[in-house]
Structures are given as C-alpha cells and as structure tokens.
Coordinates of all heavy atoms in Angstrom, one line a residue:
H23 N 13.1 2.2 -4.1 CA 12.6 2.4 -2.8 C 11.1 2.6 -2.9 O 10.7 3.5 -3.7 CB 13.3 3.7 -2.1 CG 12.7 4.0 -0.7 ND1 13.1 3.4 0.4 CD2 11.7 4.8 -0.4 CE1 12.5 3.8 1.5 NE2 11.5 4.7 1.0
Y24 N 10.3 1.9 -2.1 CA 8.9 2.0 -2.2 C 8.3 2.1 -0.7 O 8.5 1.2 0.1 CB 8.4 0.7 -2.8 CG 6.9 0.5 -2.9 CD1 6.2 1.1 -3.9 CD2 6.2 -0.3 -2.0 CE1 4.8 0.9 -4.1 CE2 4.8 -0.4 -2.1 CZ 4.1 0.2 -3.1 OH 2.8 0.0 -3.2
E25 N 7.7 3.2 -0.4 CA 7.3 3.5 1.0 C 5.9 4.1 1.0 O 5.7 5.3 0.8 CB 8.3 4.5 1.6 CG 8.0 4.7 3.1 CD 9.0 5.7 3.7 OE1 10.1 5.9 3.1 OE2 8.8 6.2 4.8
P26 N 4.9 3.2 1.2 CA 3.5 3.7 1.2 C 3.2 4.6 2.4 O 3.8 4.4 3.5 CB 2.6 2.5 1.3 CG 3.6 1.3 0.9 CD 4.9 1.8 1.3
L27 N 2.4 5.6 2.2 CA 2.0 6.5 3.3 C 1.2 5.8 4.3 O 1.3 5.9 5.5 CB 1.3 7.7 2.8 CG 0.8 8.7 3.8 CD1 1.9 9.4 4.5 CD2 -0.2 9.8 3.1
G28 N 0.3 4.9 3.8 CA -0.6 4.1 4.6 C -0.3 2.6 4.4 O 0.8 2.3 4.1
I29 N -1.3 1.8 4.6 CA -1.1 0.4 4.5 C -0.8 0.0 3.1 O 0.0 -0.9 2.8 CB -2.3 -0.4 5.1 CG1 -2.4 -0.1 6.6 CG2 -2.2 -1.9 4.8 CD1 -3.6 -0.8 7.3
V30 N -1.6 0.6 2.1 CA -1.4 0.3 0.7 C -1.1 1.6 0.0 O -1.3 2.7 0.5 CB -2.6 -0.4 0.1 CG1 -2.7 -1.8 0.6 CG2 -3.9 0.4 0.4
S31 N -0.7 1.5 -1.3 CA -0.2 2.6 -2.0 C -0.8 2.7 -3.4 O -1.1 1.7 -4.0 CB 1.3 2.6 -2.1 OG 1.8 3.6 -3.0
G32 N -0.9 3.9 -4.0 CA -1.3 4.2 -5.3 C -0.1 4.2 -6.2 O -0.2 4.3 -7.5
D33 N 1.2 4.2 -5.7 CA 2.4 4.2 -6.5 C 2.6 2.7 -6.9 O 2.2 1.8 -6.1 CB 3.6 4.6 -5.7 CG 3.6 6.1 -5.4 OD1 2.6 6.8 -5.9 OD2 4.5 6.6 -4.7
H34 N 3.3 2.5 -8.0 CA 3.6 1.1 -8.3 C 4.8 1.0 -9.3 O 5.1 2.0 -10.1 CB 2.4 0.4 -9.0 CG 2.6 -1.0 -9.1 ND1 2.5 -1.9 -8.0 CD2 2.8 -1.8 -10.2 CE1 2.8 -3.1 -8.4 NE2 3.0 -3.1 -9.7
I35 N 5.5 0.0 -9.1 CA 6.7 -0.4 -10.0 C 6.5 -1.8 -10.5 O 6.1 -2.7 -9.8 CB 8.0 -0.3 -9.2 CG1 8.3 1.2 -8.8 CG2 9.1 -0.8 -10.0 CD1 9.4 1.3 -7.9
D36 N 6.8 -2.0 -11.8 CA 6.8 -3.3 -12.3 C 7.9 -3.5 -13.3 O 8.2 -2.6 -14.0 CB 5.4 -3.7 -13.0 CG 5.3 -5.2 -13.2 OD1 6.0 -6.0 -12.5 OD2 4.4 -5.6 -13.9
L37 N 8.5 -4.6 -13.2 CA 9.6 -5.0 -14.1 C 9.2 -6.4 -14.8 O 9.1 -7.3 -14.1 CB 11.0 -5.1 -13.4 CG 11.4 -3.8 -12.7 CD1 12.6 -4.1 -11.8 CD2 11.8 -2.7 -13.7
I38 N 9.1 -6.3 -16.1 CA 8.6 -7.5 -16.8 C 9.6 -8.1 -17.7 O 10.1 -7.6 -18.7 CB 7.3 -7.1 -17.7 CG1 6.3 -6.3 -16.8 CG2 6.7 -8.4 -18.3 CD1 5.2 -5.7 -17.7
R39 N 10.2 -9.3 -17.2 CA 11.2 -10.0 -18.0 C 10.7 -10.4 -19.4 O 9.5 -10.7 -19.5 CB 11.8 -11.1 -17.2 CG 12.6 -10.8 -16.0 CD 13.2 -12.0 -15.4 NE 13.9 -11.7 -14.2 CZ 15.2 -11.3 -14.2 NH1 15.9 -11.1 -15.3 NH2 15.9 -11.0 -13.0
P40 N 11.5 -10.5 -20.4 CA 11.1 -10.9 -21.7 C 10.5 -12.4 -21.6 O 11.0 -13.2 -20.9 CB 12.3 -10.9 -22.5 CG 13.5 -10.9 -21.6 CD 13.0 -10.3 -20.3
G41 N 9.5 -12.6 -22.5 CA 9.0 -13.9 -22.7 C 9.8 -14.8 -23.6 O 11.0 -14.5 -23.9
R42 N 9.2 -15.8 -24.2 CA 9.9 -16.7 -25.0 C 10.5 -16.1 -26.2 O 11.5 -16.5 -26.8 CB 9.0 -17.9 -25.4 CG 8.6 -18.8 -24.1 CD 7.7 -20.0 -24.6 NE 7.3 -20.8 -23.4 CZ 6.5 -21.8 -23.6 NH1 6.0 -22.1 -24.7 NH2 6.2 -22.5 -22.5
T43 N 9.7 -15.1 -26.8 CA 10.1 -14.6 -28.1 C 10.7 -13.2 -27.9 O 11.3 -12.6 -28.8 CB 9.0 -14.5 -29.1 OG1 7.9 -13.7 -28.5 CG2 8.5 -15.9 -29.3
G44 N 10.6 -12.6 -26.7 CA 11.1 -11.2 -26.5 C 12.5 -11.2 -26.0 O 13.1 -12.2 -25.6
R45 N 13.1 -10.0 -26.1 CA 14.5 -9.9 -25.7 C 14.7 -8.7 -24.7 O 15.7 -8.6 -24.1 CB 15.4 -9.7 -26.9 CG 15.4 -10.8 -27.9 CD 16.4 -10.6 -29.0 NE 17.7 -10.5 -28.6 CZ 18.7 -10.1 -29.4 NH1 18.5 -9.8 -30.7 NH2 20.0 -10.0 -28.9
D46 N 13.7 -7.9 -24.6 CA 13.8 -6.7 -23.8 C 13.1 -6.8 -22.5 O 12.1 -7.5 -22.4 CB 13.3 -5.4 -24.6 CG 14.0 -5.2 -25.9 OD1 15.1 -5.7 -26.0 OD2 13.4 -4.6 -26.8
L47 N 13.6 -6.0 -21.5 CA 12.9 -5.9 -20.2 C 12.0 -4.7 -20.3 O 12.4 -3.6 -20.7 CB 13.9 -5.7 -19.1 CG 13.4 -5.5 -17.7 CD1 12.9 -6.8 -17.1 CD2 14.4 -4.8 -16.8
H48 N 10.7 -4.9 -19.9 CA 9.8 -3.7 -19.8 C 9.7 -3.3 -18.4 O 9.8 -4.1 -17.4 CB 8.4 -4.2 -20.3 CG 8.3 -4.3 -21.8 ND1 8.8 -5.4 -22.4 CD2 7.8 -3.5 -22.7 CE1 8.6 -5.3 -23.7 NE2 8.0 -4.2 -24.0
F49 N 9.5 -1.9 -18.2 CA 9.3 -1.4 -16.9 C 8.1 -0.5 -16.9 O 7.7 0.1 -17.9 CB 10.6 -0.7 -16.4 CG 10.9 0.6 -17.1 CD1 10.3 1.8 -16.7 CD2 11.8 0.6 -18.2 CE1 10.7 3.0 -17.4 CE2 12.1 1.8 -18.9 CZ 11.5 3.0 -18.5
L50 N 7.5 -0.4 -15.7 CA 6.4 0.5 -15.4 C 6.6 1.2 -14.1 O 6.9 0.5 -13.1 CB 5.1 -0.3 -15.4 CG 3.8 0.4 -15.0 CD1 3.4 1.5 -16.0 CD2 2.6 -0.6 -14.8
F51 N 6.4 2.5 -14.1 CA 6.6 3.3 -12.9 C 5.5 4.3 -12.9 O 5.4 5.2 -13.7 CB 8.0 4.1 -13.0 CG 8.3 4.8 -11.7 CD1 9.1 4.1 -10.7 CD2 7.9 6.1 -11.5 CE1 9.5 4.8 -9.5 CE2 8.2 6.8 -10.3 CZ 9.0 6.1 -9.3
G52 N 4.5 4.1 -11.9 CA 3.3 4.9 -12.0 C 2.8 5.4 -10.7 O 3.2 5.0 -9.6
D53 N 1.9 6.3 -10.7 CA 1.3 7.0 -9.6 C -0.2 7.2 -9.9 O -0.5 8.1 -10.8 CB 2.0 8.2 -9.2 CG 1.5 8.9 -8.0 OD1 0.6 8.4 -7.3 OD2 2.0 10.0 -7.6
V54 N -1.1 6.5 -9.2 CA -2.6 6.8 -9.4 C -3.0 7.9 -8.5 O -2.6 8.1 -7.4 CB -3.4 5.5 -9.1 CG1 -4.9 5.9 -9.1 CG2 -3.2 4.5 -10.2
A55 N -3.8 8.8 -9.1 CA -4.4 10.0 -8.3 C -5.1 9.4 -7.1 O -5.9 8.5 -7.2 CB -5.3 10.8 -9.1
G56 N -4.9 10.0 -5.9 CA -5.5 9.5 -4.7 C -4.7 8.6 -3.8 O -3.5 8.4 -4.2
K57 N -5.2 8.1 -2.8 CA -4.3 7.3 -1.9 C -5.2 6.1 -1.4 O -6.4 6.1 -1.7 CB -3.9 8.1 -0.7 CG -3.1 9.4 -1.0 CD -2.7 10.1 0.3 CE -1.8 11.3 0.0 NZ -2.6 12.3 -0.8
G58 N -4.6 5.2 -0.7 CA -5.3 4.2 -0.1 C -5.8 3.0 -1.0 O -5.2 2.8 -2.1
V59 N -6.8 2.3 -0.5 CA -7.2 1.1 -1.2 C -7.7 1.3 -2.6 O -7.4 0.6 -3.5 CB -8.4 0.4 -0.3 CG1 -8.9 -0.8 -1.1 CG2 -7.8 0.0 1.0
A60 N -8.5 2.4 -2.8 CA -9.1 2.7 -4.1 C -7.9 2.9 -5.1 O -7.9 2.3 -6.2 CB -10.0 3.9 -4.1
A61 N -6.9 3.7 -4.7 CA -5.8 3.9 -5.6 C -5.0 2.7 -5.9 O -4.5 2.4 -7.0 CB -4.9 5.0 -5.1
S62 N -4.8 1.8 -4.9 CA -4.0 0.6 -5.0 C -4.8 -0.4 -6.0 O -4.1 -1.1 -6.8 CB -3.8 0.0 -3.7 OG -5.0 -0.6 -3.1
M63 N -6.1 -0.4 -5.9 CA -6.8 -1.3 -6.8 C -6.7 -0.8 -8.3 O -6.5 -1.7 -9.2 CB -8.3 -1.3 -6.4 CG -8.6 -2.0 -5.1 SD -10.3 -1.9 -4.6 CE -11.1 -2.8 -5.9
L64 N -6.8 0.5 -8.5 CA -6.5 1.0 -9.9 C -5.2 0.7 -10.4 O -5.0 0.4 -11.6 CB -6.8 2.5 -9.9 CG -8.3 2.9 -9.7 CD1 -8.4 4.5 -9.6 CD2 -9.1 2.4 -10.9
M65 N -4.1 0.8 -9.5 CA -2.8 0.5 -10.0 C -2.6 -0.9 -10.3 O -1.9 -1.3 -11.2 CB -1.8 1.0 -9.0 CG -0.3 0.8 -9.4 SD 0.0 1.5 -11.0 CE 0.0 3.2 -10.8
A66 N -3.2 -1.8 -9.5 CA -3.2 -3.3 -9.8 C -3.8 -3.6 -11.1 O -3.4 -4.4 -11.9 CB -3.9 -4.0 -8.7
N67 N -4.9 -2.9 -11.4 CA -5.6 -3.0 -12.7 C -4.7 -2.6 -13.8 O -4.5 -3.3 -14.9 CB -6.8 -2.2 -12.7 CG -7.6 -2.2 -14.1 OD1 -7.7 -3.2 -14.7 ND2 -8.1 -1.1 -14.5

C-alpha cells in the first residue's frame, strides 16, 4: 500500500526482477527524510 501525504512522496518501493544471469528478485523499501518534491527526487535517485 502506497499513500503519499501530498502529490508526491519520499517513500519508495522497488522490485527488481532478475536479469539474464541472475536468479533472485531484489527489493527496495525506503523513506527519505522530508516530504514533497525534494524527497521524491532523492528517492528516485
């Protein structure tokens, strides 16, 4: 469940399927300090 307080969020989830040589699924679950556009840009980075 993903529910931003405003229009964009500093929270983020990513699920990365294995590539050609990999076999495992990678996950990322994070929260950048702050809110809004600045936090969302850092999380995208």
Side-chain angles (χ1 to χ4, degrees):
H23 174 87
Y24 178 84
E25 185 179 346
L27 179 65
I29 295 178
V30 290
S31 171
D33 290 359
H34 194 69
I35 292 171
D36 198 15
L37 300 169
I38 308 170
R39 291 188 181 275
R42 294 181 180 179
T43 59
R45 299 181 62 186
D46 300 337
L47 176 79
H48 286 76
F49 68 88
L50 173 65
F51 187 93
D53 183 3
V54 169
K57 301 178 181 66
V59 174
S62 70
M63 291 175 65
L64 288 175
M65 185 48 73
N67 176 41

